[in-house]
Amino acid sequence: MSSGIVPLPAAPAVRPREDRRLADRIALSAASGRGARVRTEDVRAWLAERRRAHVFHVERIPFAELGEWRFEQGTGNLVHRSGRFFTVEGMHVVELDGPSGDGPYREWQQPVVRQPEVGILGILAKEFDGVLHFLMQAKMEPGNANLLQLSPTVQATRSNYTGAHRGTDVKLIAHFFRPDPDRVVVDVLQSEQGSWFYRKTNRNMIVETVDDVPELDDFRWLTLGQIAELLHEDDVVNMNARTVLSCLPYRDTSPGALLSDAQLLSWFTGERSRHDVCAERVPLADVRGWKRGAEAIEHEDGRYFKVVAVSVRAGNREVVSWDQPLVEPVGLGTAAFLVREIDGVPHVLVHARAEGGFLDTVELAPTVQCTPGNYTHLPPSDRPPFLDAVLDAPPSHILYQAVLSEEGGRFLNARSRYLVVEADDAPLDPPPAYTWVTPGQLTALTRHGHYVNVEARTLLACLNAAMARPRGEQRHGGGHR
Amino acid sequence: MSSGIVPLPAAPAVRPREDRRLADRIALSAASGRGARVRTEDVRAWLAERRRAHVFHVERIPFAELGEWRFEQGTGNLVHRSGRFFTVEGMHVVELDGPSGDGPYREWQQPVVRQPEVGILGILAKEFDGVLHFLMQAKMEPGNANLLQLSPTVQATRSNYTGAHRGTDVKLIAHFFRPDPDRVVVDVLQSEQGSWFYRKTNRNMIVETVDDVPELDDFRWLTLGQIAELLHEDDVVNMNARTVLSCLPYRDTSPGALLSDAQLLSWFTGERSRHDVCAERVPLADVRGWKRGAEAIEHEDGRYFKVVAVSVRAGNREVVSWDQPLVEPVGLGTAAFLVREIDGVPHVLVHARAEGGFLDTVELAPTVQCTPGNYTHLPPSDRPPFLDAVLDAPPSHILYQAVLSEEGGRFLNARSRYLVVEADDAPLDPPPAYTWVTPGQLTALTRHGHYVNVEARTLLACLNAAMARPRGEQRHGGGHR
C-alpha cells in the first residue's frame, strides 16, 4: 500500500448460494472432544471458581418492596419505572380449533411477560488449531437454580446495548451489532416460550472472527464436542446458548426423509391454517382465574406458574443491586422427542403446538412438552399424548436426558427434564398435529423464525450433542438422574 | 383384489428431500407457448364470451344504502350483520425507526381491512400430452376495472367453503381442503397488502390431479407459457393467480448470487431487527386524519385511498345480489424491479419495506412501490428512491410492463403499472434497506411466508413470464402503454 498504487476494486463476483465448507468445519468441531484452550474436565472447576469470584445474592421479596417496579395505575400491569426492560401484563387467548382438529374451542386468560424489543444472543466463533471454537460465558442470572451457567458470548437486550443499564456482558457486542457478512454463521430471529412470553423473539447469532479477542476471566473457548459433553450435565448450558447452537447448519447426511421438504411445509401450512388462535393483551388487573397476593400472582388452583419478585445483589469489584419480577413455574417440566428409525434414517416426532404467545398460531414443538403435575387432576384419557411413553421408557431407550433451565433472567427455577427417547414402536401414522421429521429437516427450518419452538430447539441441540458421542456412550450417559 | 390376497403394506421408505423432476416439469410447461386444450389467441374471446354470459352489475351506493353492512355502535367499524367476511376498522401504526435506518420515527392512523380467517387460493394442475397445465377460472369480481379476470381454480374464504355464502367457484375446493401430500406443488401462507389489510394471509396452493375434471364453461387449462403470454396484457391475470404462480419452485440455473443465502437471510434479519413497528387496531370512528362522508371515508388531504360501498347484481342462471364495502386507491400505482447483471447473473433490487399491516415489521418489496401521485406535494429529495429511474427509463430498458389489478373482491380500481427495468448503472452497493438478490433466491424465499410481499410476488411472476419469452420479444413487449 505504501507504493502509492491503489489496487482496482475487485469486480463483483457471484458466490455459491451455499457455503459447503462450513458444514465440514462444524462437523470437525463437533467431533473434537478436546479443545485447544481448556480441558472439558476443567470447565466445571472454572465455573465453580467464577461462582465464587462474584457476589450474587438473590432474595425473594414481597411486591411492596420492589423499588423500581410498580403495579401501574388502572391496568395493574407490572412495569419498570423507566418504561424499559419488560412488563408483566395479561393475555386473553381464544383458540377456535382444538389442538387436534375441529375440536372444542379453548379460551383462557393468564399473566404474560411482554418484551417487545429484539435482543441479541450472540456466540463468537474462532478457529484454533484449525478447529472452530465458541466463546462461552460463565454468567450469573437470578432465576438459575445454581445461579451461574454457560451462556452465549453476549446476551443483550436493546436496553442493554443502548445503555439502559450497564451489563458487563456486552463488551463484545460490537461483533454482533453490524456483523461482517462474510463471517456470519447463524443469524435468525427465533421465538421464545409462547406460554410465558407475548410474542418474544431474540436474534440468534454466531459470528466468526479472526481478530485477537482479549482473554477475560468469565469467558472460555470451547469446541462443539466439548459443549456437547457439557450439555449432558444438569443445569450447565443455559437456554440462550442452547437455542443459538441449535441453529448451526449441520450437514444432513441422510439420504432423505419420510416427507419431502415440500410435503413437510405443506403439512405445516395445513396445521397453521386450521388453527385460529387470537391472543390479545388485557390489563393484568383484569385477568380472570388468577389472584394477586402480597408475594405472588398465582393461578386460583395453584397450577401453571406464579409471578414473584426478587432482590438481587451482584458484582465482583463494583457491586450493583436491583430488583425485578420473575415467572416461577409450579413444577418440573418434561420435554421429549420420541425418535425412531424409518428406512434406516432417524426421525423425531414433532407436534404442531399452539401457544398463546406465539406470533403465528403454531410452531413445531417436542413430542411431549408439559408440566406433568398440571395433569394429575385429569383422567388418563386427558393426559398429553405420548407422555406415558416418555415417563415409562426403559433406561436402555433413553438416548439423552438432562435437567436444563429456562432463561434465568426472566424465569425462577424453571427447569425441565429434556429427553430423547428411542421408540421404534411409535406409530408411523401419528395422530393429527404430529408428524415425523429428520433432524436435518429441523435444522433446515431453524434458518427461519417461527417454525421450531424454543423447547424443540433445545432438544435439537441435545440430539446433536448425543449424536456427537460414540454410540456406546449415548445410552445411560448423563443426566445424573 | 378379488383373489382374496391382501397385499402387505409397503415398507415405509424415505424419499429425497427435494423432488428434482418437478423443476423440469415446470420448465417444460413454461416453455410450452401452445396449450393442449385452448389456443392462447382464443383465450381473449373466451373471456369476452364469459363476460357476456354473466349478469354482473356493480353500482356505487352511499353507506346508508348498505343492506347487510353497518357502522357498529361505539367503534364505528364497518361490519357485516353476520359478523363474517371482513371488517373495516382503524389501525394506529408507530414506527420507531425510519425505513432507512435510525431516522425520525413515523406515526399514523388509517382505516384497514381486517379478515382474520385464512382463505385458500388454489390452482389445480394436470398433465396433458406430458405437459403441466393449470386450471384457470374466468371470474368476475366487483372491484375489477374490466370485471372479469383470469383467476385461480378456487379462491375461497373459510366463510365461502363452510357455507356462509354459496360461491360457485368453490366446486373444486375438495382438491385443496385436504390435499394429497404426493400431489402438492405449492402450499404456503402468504401475506397480502400491508398498507390496506391488517395481517391478512391466504393459503397459496397448487395441487396436481390425475382425476378427470369436469369441463366447466368458466374454466380453461393453460400452460405456464400461455399464462406468461397473458401476463403481458393489462388487467387479464388477477392478483390471486399471480401470487400463487410466483410460488412455483422454478429451478435456479444461475451459478450463484452476490450474497449467499446465509448472507441474504442475515441481512434480512438485520432489517427486521432494526425496525420496531407497532400496529394496533383502533376503532374506525377514532381514526385521526380521515373523515367519513355519506359515500366515502377519505383522507383529509384526499391522498392514499377511500373506503366506498357498492351494490352488486350477479349470476348466470340464478341471479344473486349483495352489497359490500371496497377500498379504492386514489391513483395508479407503480411497482417496479430494477434488474442488472452481476458477474453475468441477473439480480433484482429488493427493498425491506415496513407496512403497518404486516404480521412482522418488514417484507421484501419491489425496488419501487408507491402511488406517485401521493408524492407530488413533496420536494424531489423526499420522493421514493429509484422512482425517477423507473419513470424515466428508456423503452429499450423496459423488460416487462403491464397494468395489473389488485384483488377485485376487496379493492376497487386498484391498478398498478408493474415494470421490470434494466438498470446496469444501478449502484452495486445500494442504500440501507435495499439489496440485490437473484430471482432464484426470491423463489426460494416464497416457500415460506412473510418474506416476499404481494407486489414483489407479482413482479416475480412477471419476471418469470418475461424470461419465458424469446429474448427479442422481451423488450417493447406488452403493456399496451
Side-chain angles (χ1 to χ4, degrees):
Chain A
M1 290 296 174
S2 59
S3 69
I5 299 171
V6 178
L8 285 171
V14 301
R15 67 187 82 212
R17 284 176 50 189
E18 297 298 333
D19 172 2
R20 297 193 181 279
R21 216 173 76 77
L22 178 60
D24 292 333
R25 299 170 69 214
I26 290 168
L28 178 62
S29 184
S32 299
R34 287 166 184 250
R37 310 292 284 189
V38 60
R39 296 190 311 169
T40 312
E41 50 268 42
D42 294 340
V43 170
R44 214 163 306 130
W46 165 67
L47 290 174
E49 183 266 313
R50 293 324 295 161
R51 200 171 278 124
R52 286 190 302 271
H54 292 279
V55 173
F56 208 85
H57 291 295
V58 181
E59 194 187 341
R60 288 172 190 262
I61 56 172
F63 292 127
E65 289 179 22
L66 280 169
E68 299 295 310
W69 294 75
R70 59 188 169 81
F71 291 103
E72 191 178 54
Q73 279 273 319
T75 62
N77 292 342
L78 195 44
V79 299
H80 192 263
R81 287 188 192 280
S82 69
R84 295 209 188 198
F85 305 110
F86 62 93
T87 55
V88 183
E89 308 186 7
M91 176 167 72
H92 180 185
V93 185
V94 180
E95 195 184 330
L96 290 179
D97 294 328
S100 303
D102 298 325
Y105 83 68
R106 297 191 299 162
E107 177 169 5
W108 75 93
Q109 298 195 336
Q110 65 166 86
V112 75
V113 177
R114 180 162 172 261
Q115 185 172 355
E117 42 172 53
V118 172
I120 290 179
L121 307 176
I123 300 181
L124 202 58
K126 186 176 174 174
E127 274 195 3
F128 295 94
D129 301 341
V131 178
L132 276 176
H133 287 60
F134 298 81
L135 189 59
M136 305 304 289
Q137 181 181 181
K139 187 174 169 66
M140 290 206 166
E141 287 175 311
N144 289 339
N146 54 358
L147 294 183
L148 182 145
Q149 298 191 7
L150 214 52
S151 309
T153 317
V154 304
Q155 40 188 63
T157 61
R158 190 184 281 234
S159 299
N160 281 145
Y161 60 78
T162 58
H165 76 55
R166 268 164 297 198
T168 52
D169 59 329
V170 294
K171 285 173 189 162
L172 295 155
I173 193 74
H175 291 274
F176 302 94
F177 195 56
R178 284 204 174 76
D180 176 352
D182 285 329
R183 303 278 172 199
V184 172
V185 178
V186 165
D187 190 0
V188 58
L189 291 170
Q190 294 287 6
S191 66
E192 297 191 357
Q193 285 82 357
S195 302
W196 301 332
F197 278 121
Y198 183 80
R199 299 185 179 174
K200 171 84 151 58
T201 56
N202 269 324
R203 188 171 179 181
N204 287 235
M205 304 179 80
I206 299 180
V207 175
E208 193 179 347
T209 185
V210 290
D211 297 344
D212 283 336
V213 177
E215 304 271 344
L216 298 166
D217 292 339
D218 288 328
F219 295 81
R220 288 292 180 273
W221 292 102
L222 302 173
T223 65
L224 291 177
Q226 291 182 291
I227 298 169
E229 194 58 40
L230 295 163
L231 250 180
H232 282 80
E233 303 195 12
D234 289 356
D235 293 316
V236 169
V237 180
N238 87 347
M239 182 193 90
N240 293 332
R242 300 191 306 263
T243 168
V244 174
L245 293 167
S246 76
C247 300
L248 273 168
Y250 280 86
R251 170 163 298 139
D252 186 5
T253 54
S254 304
L258 184 66
L259 301 181
S260 71
D261 286 3
Q263 290 177 328
L264 174 58
L265 290 173
S266 174
W267 174 85
F268 186 78
T269 298
E271 289 299 313
R272 214 163 238 181
S273 300
R274 77 183 172 83
H275 282 88
D276 196 341
V277 183
C278 180
E280 302 215 309
R281 286 154 53 206
V282 295
L284 183 58
D286 295 351
V287 167
R288 289 193 302 267
W290 294 70
K291 56 186 182 190
R292 183 174 124 192
E295 305 200 334
I297 299 168
E298 53 196 322
H299 186 255
E300 282 173 356
D301 298 329
R303 271 191 274 279
Y304 311 119
F305 62 84
K306 301 175 189 178
V307 180
V308 298
V310 295
S311 168
V312 186
R313 220 155 51 85
N316 42 7
R317 275 164 299 186
E318 190 186 350
V319 173
V320 294
S321 65
W322 71 89
D323 39 49
Q324 68 168 92
L326 288 170
V327 166
E328 183 179 27
V330 297
L332 182 70
T334 297
F337 270 150
L338 292 190
V339 56
R340 66 164 288 179
E341 289 198 352
I342 299 173
D343 206 12
V345 175
H347 285 67
V348 299
L349 189 60
V350 291
H351 176 211
R353 177 183 160 96
E355 297 182 12
F358 284 158
L359 181 66
D360 198 359
T361 57
V362 301
E363 298 189 9
L364 298 182
T367 321
V368 172
Q369 174 188 325
C370 68
T371 302
N374 287 335
Y375 293 88
T376 48
H377 65 299
L378 294 173
S381 61
D382 288 350
R383 286 165 68 81
F386 305 108
L387 175 59
D388 294 328
V390 169
L391 296 181
D392 301 342
S396 63
H397 286 202
I398 296 174
L399 298 181
Y400 172 90
Q401 71 167 315
V403 174
L404 304 174
S405 298
E406 307 307 323
E407 221 266 277
R410 297 291 173 271
F411 307 121
L412 180 64
N413 301 322
R415 302 167 77 230
S416 288
R417 183 174 301 280
Y418 282 89
L419 299 113
V420 178
V421 176
E422 215 167 40
D424 280 335
D425 55 350
L428 271 177
D429 190 17
Y434 292 82
T435 199
W436 292 102
V437 304
T438 65
Q441 289 180 310
L442 274 190
T443 295
L445 290 176
T446 63
R447 296 186 81 168
H448 313 284
H450 307 295
Y451 275 118
V452 186
N453 82 350
V454 67
E455 292 85 356
R457 295 201 305 280
T458 277
L459 278 174
L460 178 59
C462 297
L463 196 61
N464 286 330
M467 299 296 173
R469 284 193 165 186
R471 175 73 186 177
E473 291 174 37
Q474 278 180 28
R475 297 166 195 271
H476 328 292
H480 303 284
R481 198 170 197 170
Chain B
M1 291 298 174
S2 59
S3 69
I5 298 171
V6 179
L8 286 171
V14 301
R15 67 188 81 213
R17 285 176 50 189
E18 298 298 333
D19 172 2
R20 299 193 179 281
R21 216 173 78 75
L22 178 60
D24 292 333
R25 300 170 69 214
I26 291 168
L28 177 62
S29 183
S32 298
R34 287 163 183 253
R37 312 291 284 189
V38 60
R39 296 190 311 168
T40 312
E41 49 269 43
D42 294 340
V43 170
R44 215 163 303 131
W46 165 67
L47 291 174
E49 183 266 312
R50 293 324 296 162
R51 202 171 276 125
R52 286 190 302 271
H54 292 279
V55 174
F56 209 85
H57 292 294
V58 180
E59 194 187 339
R60 288 171 190 262
I61 56 172
F63 292 127
E65 289 179 24
L66 280 170
E68 298 295 310
W69 294 75
R70 60 187 169 80
F71 290 103
E72 191 178 56
Q73 279 273 320
T75 63
N77 291 342
L78 195 46
V79 300
H80 192 262
R81 286 186 192 281
S82 69
R84 295 210 189 200
F85 304 111
F86 62 94
T87 54
V88 183
E89 308 186 7
M91 176 168 71
H92 180 184
V93 186
V94 180
E95 195 185 328
L96 290 180
D97 294 326
S100 303
D102 298 323
Y105 84 69
R106 299 190 298 161
E107 177 168 6
W108 75 93
Q109 298 195 336
Q110 64 167 87
V112 74
V113 177
R114 180 161 172 262
Q115 186 173 353
E117 42 172 53
V118 172
I120 289 178
L121 308 176
I123 300 181
L124 202 59
K126 186 177 174 174
E127 274 195 2
F128 295 94
D129 300 342
V131 177
L132 278 176
H133 286 60
F134 297 81
L135 190 59
M136 305 303 290
Q137 181 181 181
K139 187 173 170 66
M140 292 206 165
E141 288 174 310
N144 289 339
N146 54 358
L147 292 183
L148 183 143
Q149 298 191 7
L150 213 52
S151 309
T153 317
V154 304
Q155 40 188 63
T157 60
R158 192 184 280 234
S159 298
N160 282 143
Y161 59 77
T162 57
H165 77 55
R166 267 163 299 201
T168 52
D169 59 330
V170 292
K171 284 173 189 161
L172 295 156
I173 193 75
H175 291 275
F176 302 94
F177 194 57
R178 286 207 171 75
D180 177 352
D182 285 329
R183 302 277 173 202
V184 172
V185 178
V186 165
D187 190 2
V188 58
L189 291 171
Q190 295 286 7
S191 65
E192 296 191 357
Q193 286 81 359
S195 303
W196 301 331
F197 277 122
Y198 183 80
R199 301 186 178 173
K200 171 86 151 60
T201 56
N202 269 324
R203 188 171 179 182
N204 286 234
M205 302 180 81
I206 299 180
V207 175
E208 192 179 349
T209 185
V210 290
D211 297 344
D212 284 337
V213 177
E215 304 270 344
L216 299 166
D217 292 339
D218 288 328
F219 295 82
R220 287 292 181 271
W221 292 102
L222 301 173
T223 65
L224 290 178
Q226 291 182 291
I227 299 169
E229 194 58 39
L230 295 163
L231 250 180
H232 283 80
E233 302 194 12
D234 291 354
D235 293 315
V236 169
V237 180
N238 87 348
M239 183 192 90
N240 293 332
R242 301 192 303 266
T243 168
V244 174
L245 293 168
S246 76
C247 301
L248 273 168
Y250 281 87
R251 171 162 298 141
D252 186 4
T253 54
S254 304
L258 185 66
L259 301 182
S260 71
D261 285 5
Q263 290 177 328
L264 174 58
L265 289 174
S266 174
W267 175 84
F268 186 78
T269 298
E271 288 300 312
R272 213 162 238 182
S273 300
R274 76 182 174 83
H275 282 87
D276 196 342
V277 183
C278 180
E280 302 215 310
R281 288 154 53 207
V282 295
L284 183 57
D286 295 350
V287 167
R288 290 193 302 266
W290 294 70
K291 56 186 183 191
R292 183 174 124 193
E295 305 200 333
I297 300 167
E298 52 195 324
H299 186 254
E300 281 172 357
D301 299 329
R303 271 191 275 277
Y304 312 119
F305 61 83
K306 301 174 188 178
V307 179
V308 299
V310 295
S311 168
V312 186
R313 221 155 52 83
N316 43 8
R317 277 163 298 185
E318 189 187 350
V319 174
V320 295
S321 66
W322 71 89
D323 38 48
Q324 69 167 95
L326 288 170
V327 166
E328 182 179 28
V330 296
L332 182 69
T334 297
F337 269 150
L338 292 190
V339 55
R340 65 164 288 180
E341 288 198 353
I342 299 173
D343 206 11
V345 175
H347 285 67
V348 299
L349 188 60
V350 291
H351 176 209
R353 178 183 160 97
E355 296 182 12
F358 284 158
L359 182 65
D360 198 359
T361 58
V362 301
E363 296 188 11
L364 299 182
T367 322
V368 172
Q369 175 188 324
C370 68
T371 302
N374 287 335
Y375 293 88
T376 48
H377 65 297
L378 294 174
S381 60
D382 288 349
R383 286 164 69 80
F386 305 107
L387 176 58
D388 294 329
V390 168
L391 297 181
D392 301 343
S396 64
H397 286 201
I398 296 173
L399 298 181
Y400 172 89
Q401 71 167 315
V403 174
L404 303 174
S405 298
E406 308 306 324
E407 220 267 276
R410 297 292 172 270
F411 307 121
L412 181 63
N413 300 322
R415 301 167 77 230
S416 288
R417 184 175 301 280
Y418 281 89
L419 300 112
V420 178
V421 175
E422 216 168 40
D424 281 334
D425 55 351
L428 271 177
D429 189 19
Y434 292 83
T435 199
W436 292 102
V437 304
T438 64
Q441 289 181 310
L442 273 189
T443 295
L445 290 176
T446 64
R447 296 186 80 168
H448 313 284
H450 306 296
Y451 276 118
V452 186
N453 82 348
V454 67
E455 293 86 357
R457 295 200 306 278
T458 278
L459 277 174
L460 179 59
C462 297
L463 196 61
N464 286 330
M467 299 297 174
R469 285 192 163 187
R471 176 72 186 177
E473 290 175 37
Q474 279 181 27
R475 297 164 194 274
H476 328 293
H480 303 283
R481 198 171 195 168

